[in-house]
């Protein structure tokens, strides 16, 4: 999906990251690029947010304190209302199995 500069100013990105410093760094960079950014720090609130707010993109950490990012992704892709929301996984894990 390619966004024009006009669309970017209205596009909303949800950052799902449990580490406050990392979440803030991502939020600042997303907003610097012209997007509106919302931040949640756990999986359950992320699922609720996406169901209610329908962001244009989710940046999703894999390691969250309540449910992991893969489960968040599964739940969002299972629901017809949220299955088309693009998700980018963000993680510090670098094992081959994590990448796959």
């Amino acid at each position: 999906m390619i966004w024009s500069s006009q669309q970017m100013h209205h596009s909303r990105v949800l950052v799902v990251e449990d580490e406050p410093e990392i979440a803030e760094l991502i939020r600042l960079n997303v907003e610097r690029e012209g997007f509106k950014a919302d931040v949640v720090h756990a999986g359950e609130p992320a699922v609720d947010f996406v169901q209610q707010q329908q962001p244009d993109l989710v940046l999703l950490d894999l390691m969250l304190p309540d449910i992991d990012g893969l489960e968040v992704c599964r739940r969002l892709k299972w629901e017809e209302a949220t299955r088309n929301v693009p998700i980018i996984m963000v993680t510090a894990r670098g094992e081959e199995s994590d990448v796959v």
Side-chain angles (χ1 to χ4, degrees):
M1 176 182 302
I2 299 175
W3 284 305
S4 70
S5 60
Q6 185 176 24
Q7 288 173 308
M8 287 191 327
H9 294 289
H10 303 292
S11 295
R12 188 174 205 171
V13 176
L14 175 63
V15 177
V16 186
E17 171 59 62
D18 62 322
E19 296 288 335
E21 298 84 13
I22 296 172
E24 182 64 9
L25 180 64
I26 295 171
R27 184 191 66 75
L28 287 171
N29 280 286
V30 166
E31 289 181 347
R32 186 179 66 201
E33 293 301 320
F35 298 95
K36 172 152 181 20
D38 296 288
V39 176
V40 296
H41 299 287
E44 291 291 348
V47 172
D48 293 341
F49 185 97
V50 174
Q51 290 172 338
Q52 295 171 13
Q53 302 293 322
Q54 292 285 311
D56 298 296
L57 175 69
V58 176
L59 297 176
L60 178 61
D61 184 16
L62 286 180
M63 297 181 287
L64 298 169
D66 54 353
I67 59 175
D68 70 25
L70 288 177
E71 181 59 25
V72 171
C73 185
R74 282 186 198 101
R75 289 184 188 185
L76 294 176
K77 295 305 179 181
W78 178 258
E79 296 291 328
E80 187 168 338
T82 58
R83 74 173 39 134
N84 291 324
V85 175
I87 299 172
I88 296 175
M89 297 294 198
V90 179
T91 184
R93 293 166 55 174
E95 303 285 324
E96 182 179 351
S97 62
D98 295 325
V99 174
V100 172

